[in-house]
Amino acid sequence: MKTDQYQHPDHYQMDSLLSDEHKLVRDSTRAWIKKEVSPIIDEHFENATFPKHLIKGMAEIGAFGSYIPVEWGGFGLDQISYGLIMQELERCDSGLRSTASVQSSLVMFPIFEYGSQTQKEKYLKKLATGEIMGCFGLTEPDHGSNPSGMTTNFVDDGDYVILNGSKMWISNSPFADIAVVWAKDQSGRIHGLIVERGMEGFTTPEIHNKLSLRTSSTGELVFQNVRVPKSNILPGRNGLGAPLSCLDSARYGIAWGALGAAMDWDQGPSSSAPKLL
Ligand SMILES: Cc1cc2nc3c(=O)[nH]c(=O)nc-3n(C[C@H](O)[C@H](O)[C@H](O)COP(=O)(O)OP(=O)(O)OC[C@H]3O[C@@H](n4cnc5c(N)ncnc54)[C@H](O)[C@@H]3O)c2cc1C
């Protein structure tokens, strides 16, 4: 049986499909995880806490905005490299991968693709370095699989809009500095708005006692007459296709992550999957 350089079975000879750069990205991610994450992750899984001290290291290995161009603070890597980083993160812990997916695909991606020049300048580099963290608010208590039914909405108020509603099951919300929130305007059209922590009427209660993804912090987003500047609305795209395009990017990374969880059979301490004996 063929094995990769770590003596893991490589039934489909995946290694032969990777370039030297891909292997470098994968191996440096793996090395960082073995040194910094594997020794401490089980405790965070048990306590259901997100290891915030890892944010800087995650940024340094390119877990935030891997494929965002370098000029915007990203790493300018290709999609396979992004996938390999997600694979290695989830090989250790699904919650860590989830945090990185949200920051990259659900926060940086929509700001990069649909944001104004000012929004990109204000947020992207800080998101890439982990100086600020973001979350993505689409799901609502009564509208999960059917996001078009959302009731979160905003009305015009001069240079501002007034946002009302709530979002449920939002990864990273309890500690996020900004939220990319999807809400309907007065004509029922869906737009993305960047809501900042500290805006009056905006709260992020945490959801406790999850059975899985325990190192990922999950919460609600509650908007009670939040005054959001119109300049915080993503101008580049509206309609349901905008948030769904973000989910496409996230799901790509999640698929790689699932491969990582499946590979995690001999890697030492880990919480993402039971060990095969
Ligand atoms: C840990 C965690 C983190 C999350 N992070 C985020 C996040 O960061 N941002 C965000 O916006 N959302 C997030 N979500 C929400 C997630 O996207 C939703 O849970 C998902 O969309 C399903 O919605 P729901 O939970 O309301 O389930 P429901 O829509 O109520 O579905 C329940 C069940 O019914 C089935 N079902 C639903 N409709 C139909 C139908 N028409 N026909 C047949 N079967 C159907 C579903 O497949 C499912 O099995 C997160 C969820 C979890 C658990």
Side-chain angles (χ1 to χ4, degrees):
M1 181 192 299
K2 283 243 178 202
T3 58
D4 68 11
Q5 66 183 112
Y6 300 94
Q7 309 307 311
H8 300 134
D10 187 13
H11 301 290
Y12 296 103
Q13 298 180 30
M14 295 284 284
D15 257 28
S16 66
L17 301 174
L18 301 178
S19 68
D20 288 345
E21 189 185 346
H22 292 144
K23 288 179 188 167
L24 183 66
V25 168
R26 179 194 62 187
D27 295 349
S28 51
T29 306
R30 189 176 295 177
W32 177 77
I33 285 169
K34 280 201 160 186
K35 183 164 178 274
E36 304 291 341
V37 190
S38 294
I40 56 102
I41 200 68
D42 280 357
E43 195 182 335
H44 284 280
F45 183 85
E46 287 299 326
N47 297 333
T49 50
F50 173 69
K52 283 191 190 153
H53 71 282
L54 294 177
I55 286 176
K56 191 163 176 290
M58 290 173 81
E60 283 169 2
I61 60 161
F64 301 152
S66 330
Y67 59 84
I68 300 289
V70 175
E71 62 179 300
W72 291 111
F75 274 61
L77 297 171
D78 66 5
Q79 290 288 334
I80 291 177
S81 299
Y82 172 51
L84 286 164
I85 295 172
M86 297 302 121
Q87 171 188 292
E88 292 305 317
L89 285 174
E90 189 138 7
R91 191 168 180 161
C92 180
D93 183 84
S94 300
L96 280 190
R97 196 275 310 140
S98 169
T99 296
S101 291
V102 169
Q103 183 88 340
S104 297
S105 291
L106 299 181
V107 180
M108 294 181 73
F109 174 81
I111 294 175
F112 172 67
E113 286 289 335
Y114 310 132
S116 67
Q117 186 78 5
T118 311
Q119 290 165 351
K120 290 185 204 181
E121 279 165 9
K122 185 169 180 191
Y123 300 111
L124 281 178
K125 285 187 182 160
K126 289 183 178 172
L127 288 160
T129 59
E131 184 183 336
I132 61 171
M133 294 297 288
C135 66
F136 174 90
L138 179 65
T139 304
E140 298 189 357
D142 294 325
H143 304 282
S145 303
N146 175 26
S148 65
M150 71 172 66
T151 58
T152 297
N153 68 89
F154 60 89
V155 295
D156 233 57
D157 187 30
D159 290 340
Y160 292 81
V161 295
I162 308 292
L163 179 66
N164 277 290
S166 67
K167 300 287 177 179
M168 191 70 167
W169 295 114
I170 306 304
S171 303
N172 302 354
S173 89
F175 61 82
D177 302 286
I178 62 169
V180 173
V181 176
W182 301 93
K184 286 180 176 168
D185 66 16
Q186 280 155 289
S187 68
R189 191 83 183 152
I190 293 171
H191 298 262
L193 299 84
I194 303 170
V195 181
E196 296 184 6
R197 184 173 296 284
M199 287 181 174
E200 205 175 325
F202 173 43
T203 51
T204 60
E206 185 158 8
I207 297 171
H208 295 285
N209 301 321
K210 291 203 308 292
L211 185 64
S212 188
L213 286 168
R214 286 175 60 78
T215 65
S216 166
S217 180
T218 314
E220 299 174 50
L221 302 174
V222 181
F223 314 103
Q224 291 175 310
N225 294 318
V226 183
R227 270 164 65 82
V228 182
K230 278 187 177 159
S231 57
N232 280 30
I233 298 177
L234 299 176
R237 189 166 175 191
N238 58 48
L240 189 59
L244 294 188
S245 72
C246 305
L247 293 180
D248 283 347
S249 173
R251 284 171 180 146
Y252 169 81
I254 291 166
W256 278 92
L259 284 178
M263 290 160 92
D264 173 39
W265 62 282
D266 67 346
Q267 199 179 324
S270 168
S271 52
S272 62
K275 294 284 169 299
L276 296 180
L277 297 174

